[in-house]
Amino acid sequence: MKTSIALIGFMGTGKTVVGKLLAGKLGKEFLELDAIIEKKAGKSIPEIFRQDGEIGFRELEIEATGEVAIKKNTVIACGGGIVLNKINIDRLRKECVIVCLTASPQVIIKRTSGDTDERPLLAVPDRARQIEELLKFREPFYERSADIMINTSRISADSVVERIMEKLKENES
Ligand code: S3P
């Protein structure tokens, strides 16, 4: 049986907040992939993008995913672009149930409004358009990768956690 959970989904869908709560409820270790990447690289995500480009970041993401994907009893909050490289999902799938959090473009625009310094892909003049375009491109990747999908647009993080736990039970039986 799979003992870990990988949370995937676009930026601003709540992976980190929900991941921490879920890990607490399930008594599992919480891991955030972006934090692991920053530690390995010795620099922040925006610095990695600036110095090594998105391609450099994706290479680090693949390496870090390979390391965490083998761990048991963890809740892993992945970066929004994890689905772009199939090898990441293939590796995660071995130990993890993959839960995708979704939200409407409007909600994502609102939730990410103060964070453009931390999210290089959103540091563009027309953030709303960038979000809509990235979402449109990535949607099929998220759908293809997920075992469970939860729309977080209108519900609290606690309710998202409850729904994930219900779905995990359904999945088990
Ligand atoms: C990215 C999402 C970010 C981070 C990086 C790239 C993406 O993580 O990995 O900025 O491609 O969507 P969050 O989804 O946690 O913001």
Side-chain angles (χ1 to χ4, degrees):
M1 202 181 85
K2 294 177 182 178
T3 60
S4 290
I5 294 151
L7 290 173
I8 64 166
F10 201 77
M11 295 172 266
T13 51
K15 293 166 301 217
T16 303
V17 176
V18 167
K20 282 183 188 161
L21 287 171
L22 183 66
K25 286 247 175 193
L26 296 175
K28 295 184 191 284
E29 183 189 2
F30 174 72
L31 296 173
E32 188 170 32
L33 207 57
D34 278 349
I36 293 169
I37 294 169
E38 287 183 324
K39 207 168 162 198
K40 281 173 75 74
K43 49 192 174 189
S44 69
I45 303 286
E47 276 172 332
I48 299 171
F49 269 76
R50 258 199 311 275
Q51 294 171 13
D52 314 312
E54 182 171 351
I55 293 181
F57 172 76
R58 297 295 169 210
E59 281 168 7
L60 289 168
E61 191 175 46
I62 289 172
E63 204 181 301
T65 305
E67 287 168 22
V68 296
I70 52 171
K71 297 199 178 199
K72 293 185 190 289
N73 274 307
T74 56
V75 174
I76 308 162
C78 302
I82 191 95
V83 291
L84 298 174
N85 286 296
K86 188 174 172 288
I87 188 170
N88 291 331
I89 299 301
D90 290 344
R91 285 175 168 168
L92 287 169
R93 208 179 283 295
K94 291 192 181 137
E95 282 297 335
C96 302
V97 178
I98 300 181
V99 178
C100 181
L101 303 184
T102 67
S104 67
Q106 294 73 18
V107 168
I108 289 172
I109 291 166
K110 224 194 230 163
R111 285 191 193 153
T112 57
S113 63
D115 308 339
T116 45
D117 289 350
E118 295 154 37
R119 293 188 167 110
L121 291 179
L122 300 185
V124 295
D126 194 344
R127 208 167 47 85
R129 188 171 169 178
Q130 170 84 333
I131 288 172
E132 275 159 21
E133 284 179 358
L134 283 176
L135 263 177
K136 203 166 154 202
F137 177 78
R138 289 183 181 180
E139 241 154 33
F141 290 82
Y142 291 129
E143 279 168 16
R144 213 180 297 147
S145 307
D147 298 309
I148 293 169
M149 289 191 94
I150 313 268
N151 187 339
T152 69
S153 291
R154 291 163 200 268
I155 55 175
S156 67
D158 284 315
S159 307
V160 175
V161 170
E162 270 170 39
R163 288 200 190 171
I164 294 174
M165 289 177 60
E166 279 165 23
K167 296 260 185 186
L168 287 173
K169 274 203 195 116
E170 281 170 28
N171 259 30
E172 271 174 30
S173 54

